[in-house]
Amino acid sequence: MGETQAENQNPILVTGGTGKTGRRVAERLVNRGESVRIGSRTGSIPFDWEDTATYEPALRGAKAAYISYYPDMTFPGAYESLDTFSKIAVENGVKRLVVLSGRGEAEAVRCEDVVRANGSDWTIVRGAWFNQNFSEHFLLEYILAGEIALPAGDVAEPFVDLDDLADVAVAALTDDVHIGRIYEMTGPRLLTFAEVAAEFTKVLGREVVYKPMSHEEYAAALEEYGMPSHFAELMEEVLDGRNAHTSDDIRQVLGRPAKDFTDYIKDAAATGVWNV
């Protein structure tokens, strides 16, 4: 999908429009009858966070933008890219910006602040760990192997479902009541990774265990797989208990409770994603 057209409408630019959150946001906007421009390297108007020359063409004529920075707001260069992008957006009349951010990440807050400082009508959507990391991202292989090996200790996390997060992002993109708000996206309860493994064991009917690792062991494992060491640093930052609390913002925005982790497992399992 490059750009969908709706009569007499300027498009909403969805950066990361083929990714986990952007794809869901774009689908929901299209279903609402909105014109959507997919911001990706392969889009009809190519967009690449690493190439600032692509920013203005992608923003031209848009009425709003969903900002999902790749690979993560904590990575070097993110602040500068978001500063440039938000300035170009506002200069081109695209003041309505909805920013996907990380929960409990100091560098992500700095990136939020620069978007807010550049004169946009902003909404910040801070996500906890995504449920879909277990089915659409790096933890999928862990579940298939039956072992979740992470340096998380007994820290609890309020895992959030991306369908809920996308619904909130779409509400923010299409209703001015959300301008100037910071929303914390969490599920309805806290789970340690040992409890997560137990949930998978119960629903899948095969054993999934949690294997705690030290941060040094995790960093070494990432290096072995050719992954950036920054992932280990980020894990150490966010898995220290700072995010071990839930928020009611999903209910406040959507008028319904956030999806429970067990329901996520049941729905995803029905697709066969964890069949071995």
Side-chain angles (χ1 to χ4, degrees):
M1 179 166 56
E3 181 168 334
T4 66
Q5 296 295 336
E7 189 176 356
N8 298 323
Q9 285 192 13
N10 296 77
I12 296 174
L13 171 65
V14 179
T15 68
T18 58
K20 291 193 299 299
T21 69
R23 171 172 53 83
R24 288 173 165 85
V25 169
E27 289 172 352
R28 284 159 170 75
L29 289 170
V30 169
N31 289 339
R32 290 172 61 102
E34 296 283 352
S35 174
V36 173
R37 180 177 295 161
I38 299 298
S40 72
R41 292 175 180 173
T42 58
S44 55
I45 301 176
F47 176 81
D48 183 351
W49 281 114
E50 295 182 0
D51 183 0
T52 57
T54 67
Y55 294 4
E56 196 277 336
L59 286 161
R60 191 181 302 141
K63 66 178 181 181
Y66 173 70
I67 298 177
S68 175
Y69 183 82
Y70 180 85
D72 188 89
M73 277 187 174
T74 63
F75 274 60
Y79 178 91
E80 292 77 11
S81 295
L82 290 167
D83 184 22
T84 300
F85 180 89
S86 54
K87 284 176 179 173
I88 292 174
V90 173
E91 288 168 1
N92 281 268
V94 190
K95 291 193 68 177
R96 190 74 191 95
L97 303 179
V98 175
V99 182
L100 174 64
S101 185
R103 194 165 180 254
E105 299 172 6
E107 189 60 27
V109 172
R110 199 167 79 96
C111 290
E112 297 171 10
D113 288 346
V114 77
V115 173
R116 295 165 63 185
N118 285 337
S120 66
D121 294 332
W122 54 269
T123 303
I124 308 297
V125 179
R126 291 177 180 163
W129 271 56
F130 303 154
N131 291 347
Q132 281 74 11
N133 284 340
F134 293 98
S135 52
E136 300 177 23
H137 198 37
F138 72 109
L139 295 176
L140 170 60
E141 296 300 322
Y142 290 32
I143 302 305
L144 291 173
E147 182 179 271
I148 305 170
L150 288 172
D154 58 358
V155 171
E157 175 72 17
F159 299 91
V160 67
D161 197 86
L162 284 184
D163 290 335
D164 289 338
L165 187 149
D167 285 341
V168 170
V170 167
L173 285 163
T174 56
D175 190 337
D176 289 350
V177 72
H178 303 292
I179 290 173
R181 300 294 302 273
I182 298 176
Y183 293 125
E184 298 266 337
M185 299 288 96
T186 80
R189 62 188 171 117
L190 293 168
L191 291 166
T192 67
F193 280 87
E195 290 169 335
V196 163
E199 295 260 352
F200 274 104
T201 297
K202 181 178 179 181
V203 175
L204 299 183
R206 60 179 175 83
E207 187 176 32
V208 178
V209 299
Y210 169 57
K211 177 186 176 182
M213 305 175 72
S214 70
H215 287 284
E216 293 74 20
E217 289 171 333
Y218 187 65
L222 288 177
E223 184 178 359
E224 183 178 337
Y225 284 99
M227 298 286 284
S229 61
H230 186 78
F231 280 114
E233 298 166 12
L234 178 60
M235 202 76 70
E236 187 170 6
E237 178 182 5
V238 299
L239 287 177
D240 64 356
R242 72 182 65 189
N243 292 322
H245 56 279
T246 61
S247 164
D248 198 42
D249 285 351
I250 286 175
R251 185 193 296 272
Q252 293 296 323
V253 175
L254 303 178
R256 59 169 173 77
K259 187 171 187 175
D260 186 75
F261 191 77
T262 301
D263 293 329
Y264 152 72
I265 297 178
K266 291 177 179 178
D267 290 345
T271 71
V273 65
W274 295 307
N275 289 353
V276 292

